[in-house]
Amino acid sequence: MPITDAPTGRPPEPAALVAIPGTGSDADHVTRAFGPAARSLGVDLIALEPTASLIAGHVAGLERAAAEHGRILVGGVSIGAAIAVDWALRAGGAGCAGVFAALPAWSGAADAALAAASARATADALEADGLEATIAAMAAGSPDWLASELSRSWRRLYPALVGQLREAASYTAPTLGRIATLEVPLAIVAADDDPIHPLAVARAWRDAAPRAALVEVTLEGWGREPALLGDSCAAAYRGLRGS
């Protein structure tokens, strides 16, 4: 059911869900991932497009959305989830109504995180072998749906993709200690068969946050229905709103 107006004296209900793509992905994907969830909640979807300055560009997009819409929901995939949590920690409950975190990849410094290592390796391959050879190598070891999705977005983002991958691989995500101070509900979805975005990270985020819920899915289910990410977060968020 749509979100309704909050009673007088409580923070206003959000008017928009701002969605941040994972590294190597784009606004097209998060529109499909989070659009149905936004509609089910009765809010606008604002899907951010990556810029050459990846982190600063997404933070600027969040600030623009907050300036235009007031209190907002924020969400994202992989590094997008980490950027969303970081912004929510700074905005507090007055500016943010909740976080939708899909496939979180690490906490704190990237260090040996598999997602960061994968981003660095892809950037190296793009510089050494070129776009099409890198896409071919990725596709050879990926499920068909993922190969199709990344082939589309990588071609669209290249050549800025190289810098975006390197910036993402050095990003310091919120630590579990900071997540423990989050003032708003944290709705998480993770795949139990995804080695790049370990389920253990999602569980650690859930356990650290004061109000959080985790929905566990599979990569196959996500590949069959991209909206599974957003819909799972929306279901968790609805449950948390009453807690």
Side-chain angles (χ1 to χ4, degrees), residues 38-226:
R39 288 192 293 273
S40 75
L41 293 169
V43 300
D44 294 334
L45 178 74
I46 301 172
L48 299 186
E49 194 73 75
T51 62
S53 181
L54 184 71
I55 310 302
H58 286 324
V59 172
L62 288 166
E63 296 292 346
R64 286 193 302 270
E68 180 177 353
H69 294 273
R71 195 163 180 253
I72 57 175
L73 290 162
V74 296
V77 180
S78 191
I79 195 171
I83 295 169
V85 170
D86 184 70
W87 188 87
L89 285 164
R90 289 183 285 107
C96 181
V99 181
F100 288 11
L103 313 179
W106 66 81
S107 304
D111 293 334
L114 288 176
S118 176
R120 286 191 294 268
T122 301
D124 290 346
L126 287 167
E127 290 182 327
D129 305 324
L131 176 63
E132 293 305 322
T134 303
I135 286 176
M138 174 275 296
S142 302
D144 289 346
W145 66 270
L146 183 58
S148 177
E149 182 65 43
L150 293 180
S151 296
R152 179 197 62 77
S153 62
W154 287 7
R155 289 187 177 104
R156 186 164 181 263
L157 296 173
Y158 186 81
L161 175 62
V162 176
Q164 292 166 355
L165 288 164
R166 295 206 184 281
E167 186 177 348
S170 64
Y171 178 69
T172 300
T175 63
L176 297 180
R178 290 188 65 213
I179 292 172
T181 69
L182 189 65
E183 298 178 13
V184 299
L186 175 60
I188 310 168
V189 59
D192 60 8
D193 54 350
D194 183 352
I196 299 297
H197 306 93
L199 184 57
V201 173
R203 288 175 172 167
W205 283 29
R206 176 200 60 196
D207 294 343
R211 283 192 295 163
L214 168 63
V215 178
E216 298 183 14
V217 298
T218 65
L219 284 177
E220 190 274 334
W222 172 33
R224 189 171 60 250
E225 181 47 66

